[in-house]
């Protein structure tokens, strides 16, 4: 009898060409470990198709042989969603070769692009056409638009433009049996029954494999101002957010909160980073954009900050006077995740809350966690404008980080944080998704009815459970 693994490899090779079926340990290693180094899987092979027809044929072969398929984009996901299981029975489908812009329609302000294009490449293509694709993440040089859709990514411009979902008009999807579902329409209005594309956005590769997307483009910003404000506490940051909204309206694109410790960590691991307003506990990074030329935008932001300072809301503030300064301010914020990785293993919570509940949550969580994990260090930052905090914990100074993140501690910390989040009407995953990391927690915090409906959707679209098994549900 033929070896089933050899049969699988031969059939995949016939579809994509042998050089694009990777099996050597050294070649597949980068696809088997997640960005955080938390999960390490195994796979029959990593397959790199060049287009939708090949993805469809690959998935058909896998369906035929009952082999699980794990889609993977840039592998920057933070919840283990793109890592195959340790069992090693799956095929990883990597999108690195599928990065073509199929069409850019400037009149319709849309772009149709293959799933493997990096977010940075999508932004650049939009900008080259005098438009903008506003989704913005620290991982944008590596993450792919397919991964962004699959996770319904958030990032630093959600306040104004929404999550990835809000920028998607159409998708092309390969289904579990290899069939191609073409929903790649560039329409802003389309009320013809159920909006099926929404099922695939945020489903983390468990319902279908996104091969191409139609994106809604925005006007390019013509004026941009970046400011950093120091505030005494998170309550003051929230008051400042309210001031900024009132003074700037739709121009307010980003409002990021950062604790002094998260900034110190960022600087420790990225020497040479600026430290413009030392000596405060909390900071807000604010960005205002206007799609029209507005020479008065900086003055507007300055007046808003001065008024907030007059009310005792802002302790100190600075406005970037050049593009380079603005970039440097953003770099310190965006380097926090990488700095935490370099600092060692950590426990991450990507939570969202009604903004008004955040101070109470922070007080209660700190008390409970200080008691459970004495000396724990809090790396708290995030998209305050969206009520989304990255509430991360690092091992106490001098303690073993590996021991700190042992499974029992992860579970204990998750329970403490998530129970408080749910108690305040929040979500245990604001933007990173569920993946493997939060699968059990999802089952714990969602109502049985919600879980049952999700299960029925999964069964309807992937009855044999071959698409990214062991993730989400
Ligand atoms: P991958 O990691 O490859 O995959 C993620 C999930 O999507 C997996 O479940 C995978 O199976 C599935 N998937 C991938 N491609 C497809 C496809 N074509 N079809 C179907 N399923 C697919 N996220 C945010 O939301 N906001 C942030 O601000 C943010 N900042 C980050 C900063 C850093 C430094 C890092 C490392 C990550 C950050 N992330 C952030 C997380 C991550 O970048 C996003 O989740 C991103 O959308 C993942 O894209 P990817 O291409 O890397 O996907
Ligand atoms: Zn984030």
């Amino acid at each position: 009898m033929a070896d089933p693994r050899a049969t699988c490899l031969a059939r995949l090779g016939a579809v994509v060409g042998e050089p694009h079926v990777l099996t050597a340990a050294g070649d597949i290693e980068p696809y088997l470990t997640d960005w955080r180094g938390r999960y390490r899987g195994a796979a029959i092979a990593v397959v790199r198709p060049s287009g939708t027809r090949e993805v469809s044929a690959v998935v058909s072969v896998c369906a035929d042989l009952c082999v699980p398929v794990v889609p993977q984009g840039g592998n920057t996901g933070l919840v283990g969603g793109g890592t195959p299981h340790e069992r090693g029975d799956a095929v990883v489908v990597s999108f690195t070769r599928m990065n073509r812009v199929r069409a850019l329609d400037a009149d319709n302000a849309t772009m149709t692009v293959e799933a493997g294009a990096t977010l940075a490449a999508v932004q650049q293509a939009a900008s080259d056409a005098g438009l903008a694709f506003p989704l913005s993440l620290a991982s944008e040089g590596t993450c792919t638009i397919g991964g962004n859709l699959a996770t319904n990514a958030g990032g630093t411009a959600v306040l104004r433009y929404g999550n990835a979902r809000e920028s998607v008009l159409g998708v092309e999807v390969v289904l579990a049996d290899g069939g191609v579902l073409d929903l790649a329409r560039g329409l802003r209005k389309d009320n013809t029954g159920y909006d099926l594309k929404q099922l695939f956005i945020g489903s983390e590769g468990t319902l279908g494999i996104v091969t191409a997307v139609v994106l809604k483009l925005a006007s390019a910003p013509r004026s941009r101002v970046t400011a950093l404000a120091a505030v005494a506490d998170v309550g003051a940051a929230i008051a400042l957010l309210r001031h900024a909204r009132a003074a700037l309206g739709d121009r307010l694109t980003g409002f990021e909160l950062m604790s002094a410790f998260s900034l110190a960590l960022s600087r420790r691991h990225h020497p040479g980073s600026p430290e413009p307003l030392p000596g405060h506990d909390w900071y807000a990074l604010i960005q205002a954009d206007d799609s029209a030329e507005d020479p008065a935008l900086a003055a507007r932001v300055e007046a808003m900050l001065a008024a907030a300072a007059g009310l005792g809301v802002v302790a100190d503030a600075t406005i970037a006077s050049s593009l380079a300064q603005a970039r440097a301010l953003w770099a310190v914020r965006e380097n926090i995740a990488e700095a935490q990785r370099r600092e060692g293993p950590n426990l991450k919570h990507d939570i969202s809350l009604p903004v008004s509940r955040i101070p109470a949550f922070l007080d209660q969580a700190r008390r409970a966690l200080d008691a459970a994990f004495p000396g724990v260090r809090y790396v708290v930052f995030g998209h305050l404008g969206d009520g989304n905090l990255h509430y991360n914990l690092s091992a106490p100074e001098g303690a073993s980080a590996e021991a700190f993140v042992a499974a029992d501690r992860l579970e204990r910390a998750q329970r403490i944080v998530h129970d408080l989040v749910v108690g305040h009407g929040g979500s245990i995953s604001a933007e990173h998704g569920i993946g493997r990391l939060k699968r059990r927690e999802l089952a714990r915090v969602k109502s049985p009815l919600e879980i049952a409906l999700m299960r029925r959707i999964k069964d309807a679209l992937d009855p044999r459970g071959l698409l990214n098994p062991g993730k989400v549900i």
Side-chain angles (χ1 to χ4, degrees):
M1 212 171 90
D3 170 9
R5 196 185 140 88
T7 307
C8 180
L9 293 176
R11 289 183 63 184
L12 293 173
V15 171
V16 296
E18 264 165 35
H20 301 297
V21 180
L22 312 180
T23 53
D27 292 342
I28 63 175
E29 172 61 27
Y31 303 87
L32 303 181
T33 312
D34 71 316
W35 187 83
R36 294 175 65 194
R38 209 181 167 96
Y39 296 100
R40 214 197 127 71
I44 297 175
V46 174
V47 180
R48 305 191 311 133
S50 68
T52 302
R53 227 178 296 143
E54 286 189 7
V55 176
S56 161
V58 164
V59 176
S60 297
V61 167
C62 291
D64 206 24
L65 301 174
C66 213
V67 168
V69 175
V70 179
Q72 193 180 96
N75 199 15
T76 66
L78 299 175
V79 291
T83 309
H85 197 273
E86 302 80 74
R87 278 192 307 270
D89 59 352
V91 164
V92 173
V93 175
S94 164
F95 284 88
T96 40
R97 288 174 73 215
M98 289 179 58
N99 52 17
R100 283 170 291 252
V101 175
R102 285 189 190 162
L104 199 149
D105 182 341
D107 287 339
N108 198 40
T110 52
M111 184 195 308
T112 307
V113 63
E114 288 181 338
T118 63
L119 176 55
V122 169
Q123 293 166 341
Q124 188 60 50
S127 164
D128 292 346
L131 293 161
F133 185 64
L135 192 69
S136 181
L137 318 182
S139 53
E140 62 202 21
T142 311
C143 68
T144 62
I145 195 69
N148 298 151
L149 251 75
T151 56
N152 185 27
T156 53
V158 172
L159 189 55
R160 178 162 178 179
Y161 297 101
N163 298 293
R165 189 185 297 282
E166 270 81 28
S167 292
V168 177
L169 296 178
V171 292
E172 179 188 82
V173 182
V174 169
L175 300 173
D177 63 359
V180 179
L181 176 66
D182 183 0
L183 307 171
R185 295 184 278 261
L187 301 175
R188 284 171 179 74
K189 290 192 161 183
D190 181 9
N191 278 348
T192 46
Y194 306 138
D195 189 355
L196 294 176
K197 71 172 177 292
Q198 300 297 353
L199 278 179
F200 301 99
I201 303 173
S203 69
E204 301 180 51
T206 62
L207 299 180
I209 299 184
V210 178
T211 47
V213 301
V214 185
L215 301 171
K216 183 167 77 176
L217 303 180
S219 304
R222 305 250 176 268
S223 314
R224 169 163 290 176
V225 174
T226 303
L228 182 74
V231 292
D233 52 32
V234 175
I238 293 171
L240 178 59
L241 171 64
R242 214 171 43 233
H243 278 281
R245 272 213 187 97
L248 302 169
D250 283 350
R251 299 179 194 88
L252 185 61
T253 306
F255 194 104
E256 300 284 306
L257 176 74
M258 302 163 294
S259 69
F261 182 63
S262 58
L263 288 182
L265 207 58
S266 175
R267 281 191 293 267
R268 179 188 300 175
H269 292 282
H270 299 87
S273 306
E275 188 179 6
L277 307 170
H280 299 275
D281 288 343
W282 291 94
Y283 296 87
L285 184 61
I286 302 168
Q287 184 167 301
D289 288 316
D290 203 317
S291 52
E293 210 72 67
D294 180 6
L297 187 59
R300 219 185 269 277
V301 173
E302 201 173 340
M304 181 277 290
L305 289 168
L311 294 167
V313 166
V314 166
D316 200 356
T318 179
I319 293 184
S321 61
S322 66
L323 193 59
Q325 262 186 25
R327 285 212 180 109
L329 288 178
W330 271 105
V332 185
R333 156 67 185 89
E334 293 186 333
N335 287 338
I336 297 173
E338 174 62 31
Q340 245 204 315
R341 177 164 81 157
R342 292 184 194 173
E343 184 74 7
N346 47 69
L347 304 176
K348 285 188 194 255
H349 306 95
D350 161 40
I351 57 175
S352 70
L353 292 151
V355 172
S356 47
R357 299 289 190 95
I358 288 177
F361 161 80
L362 287 173
D363 276 354
Q364 292 161 1
R366 196 173 184 117
R367 261 184 276 133
L369 290 164
D370 277 346
F373 307 105
V376 63
R377 293 176 300 162
Y378 299 86
V379 185
V380 180
F381 62 99
H383 321 287
L384 186 69
D386 316 321
N388 175 191
L389 294 182
H390 297 309
Y391 190 78
N392 301 341
L393 309 174
S394 283
E397 196 85 59
S400 152
E402 277 73 18
F404 179 69
V405 299
D408 59 322
R409 281 171 181 263
L410 168 70
E411 204 166 304
R412 249 171 93 206
Q414 273 188 340
R415 270 183 181 253
I416 292 174
V417 173
H418 292 165
D419 285 350
L420 283 168
V421 164
V422 171
H424 283 287
S427 165
I428 66 162
S429 177
E431 56 176 13
H432 297 159
I434 298 298
R436 232 173 123 174
L437 183 68
K438 297 185 184 167
R439 203 166 74 111
R440 284 169 65 181
E441 283 295 88
L442 184 78
R444 200 171 69 79
V445 303
K446 287 273 182 191
S447 73
L449 187 55
E450 273 177 288
I451 294 290
L453 284 173
M454 285 191 198
R455 170 58 55 204
R456 280 163 70 180
I457 292 170
K458 171 74 176 167
D459 289 345
L461 284 163
D462 181 21
R464 294 193 294 156
L466 293 179
L467 294 182
N468 213 1
K471 317 292 167 57
V472 184
I473 184 153

